[in-house]
């Protein structure tokens, strides 16, 4: 993967943490990263549509995706500069009245955003943050090696670590081998579930493997099937297992998946979509209030081969997460809602991965490779794994470093 594409992937990776975060350093040093991350999130969601004429539901739905209206506007200006959208305004340039969508494929989207970041970024902290995450996407590193390898001064490093810990992008643990401080990213649990060392301090390896086998035999293991499993509860909190949340008629439910090493950076996006699709179907299988799903694989095959799932009263909420990722459209049919598959190459790969996970508990490795706005970006209820973990950690407040406290104070006083 070239440097520009890799940068774009990292910017998307940090979005799910930064979009929930605010503060002096984030709004000054990480503002471009935050805007571009939201731009990618919006672009990948609307890419299969042509025109958005009604902006009110667009902004409402962006808010449900944790992207505020001002941030969504900023993201659209970035996408316009990239040539991914064309914006038409009312009188003046304060309010957008129409969005024409010309988003390219995923690789070109990431590459374009990466190139844009290189040309527009003025923050050394933001650039070094992406460099750190690039290292950690391969495997965890000793903190001292990251600091020396990237020529970081300790104050800058402390500020990056504080921001990224708060956004659930970075964390540290002590190596059981040599007691060195190890830095890793919970974002890359698919590549590196190395926080397992921390888990194994309190649980033996045999119990952990039994818990993982439970998930492997039922990918998308739902609430109610692991609540008494202390190993899995601790694994969620530590970021060892991918955990998605879906909200529908029976309330917010979590679904667990096995961690996976060696996932390519672009493939990880497809894997996340496959897990979202499985989570939506598992919700219907385990928590539907009216008609439960008895054969998830048959339902997904019907969705793809027939092109739609027949109308159901609960489909509007249950499949919103899949719609927000551009996998399906939800079409009103009387008092019910049909789920229609968006047929493109990326979504076919997603379905293939989902079916493999349902059938064999794993998935093979792939190489990197006119709807009005009311029918897209409808408010969704999926929580990205980074967001899910952030909710788990919210009660465990961390203490900011002296460098970060001083930097915030200087920013508030207007001192550069």
């Amino acid at each position: 993967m070239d440097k520009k594409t890799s940068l774009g992937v990292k910017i998307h990776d940090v979005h799910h943490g930064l979009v929930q975060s605010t503060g002096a350093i984030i709004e000054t040093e990480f503002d471009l990263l935050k805007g571009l991350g939201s731009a990618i999130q919006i672009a990948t969601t609307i890419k299969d549509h042509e025109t958005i004429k009604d902006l009110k539901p667009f902004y409402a739905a962006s808010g449900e995706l944790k992207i505020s209206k001002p941030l969504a506007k900023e993201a659209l200006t970035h996408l316009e500069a990239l040539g991914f959208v064309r914006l038409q305004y009312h009188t003046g340039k304060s309010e957008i009245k129409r969005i024409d969508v010309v988003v390219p494929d995923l690789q070109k989207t990431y590459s374009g955003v990466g190139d844009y970041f290189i040309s527009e970024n003025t923050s050394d902290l933001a650039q070094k943050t992406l460099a750190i995450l690039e290292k950690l996407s391969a495997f965890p590193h000793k903190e001292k090696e990251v600091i020396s390898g990237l020529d970081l001064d300790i104050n800058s490093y402390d500020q990056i670590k504080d921001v990224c810990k708060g956004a659930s992008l970075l964390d540290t643990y002590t190596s059981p081998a040599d007691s060195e401080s190890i830095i890793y990213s919970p974002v890359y649990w698919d590549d590196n579930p190395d926080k397992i060392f921390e888990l194994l301090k309190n649980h033996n390896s045999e119990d952990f493997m039994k818990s993982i086998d439970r998930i492997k035999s039922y990918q998308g293991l739902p609430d109610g099937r692991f609540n008494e499993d202390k190993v899995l509860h601790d694994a969620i909190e530590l970021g060892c297992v991918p955990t998605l949340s879906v909200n529908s008629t029976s309330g917010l439910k979590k679904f667990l998946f096995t961690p996976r090493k060696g996932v390519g950076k672009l493939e990880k996006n497809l894997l996340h979509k496959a897990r979202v699709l499985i989570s939506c179907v598992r919700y219907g299988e385990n928590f539907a209030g009216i008609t439960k799903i008895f054969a998830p694989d048959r339902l997904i095959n019907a969705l793809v081969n027939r092109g739609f799932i027949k109308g159901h009263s609960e489909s509007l909420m249950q499949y919103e997460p899949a719609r927000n990722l551009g996998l399906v459209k939800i079409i009103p049919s009387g008092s019910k809602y049909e789920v229609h598959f968006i047929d493109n190459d990326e979504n076919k790969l997603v379905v293939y991965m989902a079916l493999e996970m349902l059938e064999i508990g794993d998935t093979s490795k792939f190489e990197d490779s006119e709807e009005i706005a009311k029918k897209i970006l409808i408010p969704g209820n999926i929580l990205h794994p980074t967001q899910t973990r952030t909710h788990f950690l919210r009660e465990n407040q961390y203490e900011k470093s002296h460098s970060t406290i001083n930097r915030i104070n200087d920013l508030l006083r207007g001192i550069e």
Side-chain angles (χ1 to χ4, degrees):
M1 185 186 300
D2 64 81
K3 179 181 178 181
K4 293 174 182 178
T5 303
S6 184
L7 270 177
V9 171
K10 293 297 171 300
I11 291 168
H12 197 185
D13 286 341
V14 303
H15 161 74
H16 300 286
L18 287 181
V19 76
Q20 302 182 101
S21 306
T22 189
I25 295 176
I26 290 176
E27 302 306 327
T28 55
E29 298 286 347
F30 290 79
D31 56 324
L32 181 61
L33 274 185
K34 196 172 181 178
L36 288 179
S38 296
I40 293 178
Q41 186 63 45
I42 288 173
T44 56
T45 304
I46 68 175
K47 66 184 294 292
D48 291 304
H49 304 275
E50 296 179 3
T51 303
I52 300 171
K53 297 177 180 177
D54 186 352
L55 272 293
K56 187 172 183 178
F58 173 84
Y59 290 130
S62 294
E64 291 297 319
L65 294 171
K66 312 305 179 186
I67 301 172
S68 67
K69 183 175 180 178
L71 188 56
K73 282 185 173 182
E74 179 186 339
L76 287 173
T77 61
H78 290 314
L79 292 176
E80 183 178 44
L82 284 159
F84 295 171
V85 300
R86 293 188 293 269
L87 305 179
Q88 294 184 23
Y89 292 83
H90 293 288
T91 303
K93 278 213 167 187
S94 61
E95 289 298 327
I96 301 165
K97 70 176 182 179
R98 173 179 169 137
I99 305 170
D100 293 320
V101 182
V102 285
V103 177
D105 62 37
L106 192 60
Q107 177 113 23
K108 290 179 181 178
T109 298
Y110 283 139
S111 179
V113 171
D115 187 41
Y116 187 87
F117 176 80
I118 292 171
S119 66
E120 299 294 323
N121 178 58
T122 59
S123 169
D124 187 58
L125 284 185
Q127 186 273 323
K128 290 293 176 64
T129 297
L130 294 181
I132 291 173
L133 289 170
E134 181 65 39
K135 281 183 171 289
L136 301 184
S137 69
F139 54 88
H141 285 65
K142 293 183 178 180
E143 278 196 279
K144 64 182 183 182
E145 292 176 355
V146 170
I147 294 170
S148 62
L150 294 177
D151 194 27
L152 283 162
D153 68 81
I154 193 63
N155 287 333
S156 294
Y157 179 71
D158 282 344
Q159 291 168 36
I160 289 171
K161 190 163 73 168
D162 283 344
V163 166
C164 290
K165 273 194 171 185
S168 198
L169 300 173
L170 295 178
D171 211 339
T172 57
Y173 67 96
T174 302
S175 169
D178 55 15
S179 299
E180 291 274 6
S181 181
I182 307 298
I183 186 169
Y184 77 104
S185 173
V187 175
Y188 302 110
W189 31 250
D190 283 312
D191 300 318
N192 311 291
D194 294 271
K195 194 63 174 177
I196 290 170
F197 284 123
E198 194 76 20
L199 188 72
L200 295 181
K201 289 181 180 180
N202 299 315
H203 306 283
N204 65 53
S205 57
E206 185 178 347
D207 288 341
F208 176 70
M209 290 310 301
K210 285 180 179 178
S211 295
I212 289 298
D213 285 343
R214 287 183 63 199
I215 303 175
K216 191 169 184 179
S217 66
Y218 195 93
Q219 291 282 5
L221 190 68
D223 270 329
R225 296 200 184 188
F226 62 83
N227 294 358
E228 302 303 319
D229 192 323
K230 178 62 174 170
V231 178
L232 289 180
H233 186 277
D234 289 354
I236 296 168
E237 186 170 340
L238 290 168
C240 294
V241 295
T243 310
L244 277 70
S245 304
V246 176
N247 198 10
S248 191
T249 54
S250 294
L252 187 72
K253 305 294 182 183
K254 293 184 289 293
F255 299 87
L256 307 188
F257 296 85
T258 51
R260 179 168 160 78
K261 289 177 178 284
V263 176
K265 296 178 179 66
L266 288 175
E267 182 188 359
K268 182 157 66 71
N269 182 67
L270 300 180
L271 182 58
H272 175 60
K273 287 185 176 183
R275 287 173 174 155
V276 167
L277 180 59
I278 291 173
S279 296
C280 292
V281 176
R282 290 294 195 205
Y283 198 107
E285 182 183 18
N286 292 277
F287 306 109
I290 301 175
T291 307
K292 291 190 176 182
I293 296 168
F294 292 101
D297 55 336
R298 292 182 185 178
L299 186 79
I300 293 176
N301 274 312
L303 172 65
V304 177
N305 297 330
R306 188 171 58 199
F308 70 97
I309 300 173
K310 292 180 180 179
H312 193 285
S313 59
E314 296 183 43
S315 293
L316 178 60
M317 291 185 69
Q318 184 180 328
Y319 291 93
E320 281 176 343
R323 171 170 51 193
N324 286 348
L325 291 179
L327 286 168
V328 301
K329 300 175 185 178
I330 301 178
I331 310 297
S333 178
S335 62
K336 300 179 180 181
Y337 298 88
E338 294 180 350
V339 180
H340 289 245
F341 181 61
I342 297 177
D343 193 349
N344 58 44
D345 290 340
E346 287 181 15
N347 288 347
K348 287 176 181 176
L349 284 178
V350 167
V351 167
Y352 183 81
M353 296 171 81
L355 289 172
E356 279 200 325
M357 291 169 70
L358 287 173
E359 292 167 9
I360 65 174
D362 204 349
T363 183
S364 55
K365 181 172 172 55
F366 292 103
E367 294 301 317
D368 288 347
S369 20
E370 179 144 278
E371 295 293 336
I372 63 173
K374 291 177 183 176
K375 294 184 180 179
I376 63 172
L377 279 178
I378 299 300
N381 296 293
I382 194 75
L383 292 182
H384 186 273
T386 298
Q387 295 171 327
T388 297
R389 183 169 180 271
T390 299
H391 287 299
F392 261 78
L393 299 178
R394 189 161 287 165
E395 294 182 358
N396 299 322
Q397 296 298 317
Y398 64 93
E399 187 174 338
K400 294 184 178 71
S401 68
H402 188 67
S403 298
T404 296
I405 294 171
N406 279 342
R407 177 61 175 154
I408 291 171
N409 191 52
D410 286 345
L411 286 167
L412 294 175
R413 293 163 57 212
I415 300 173
E416 288 295 330

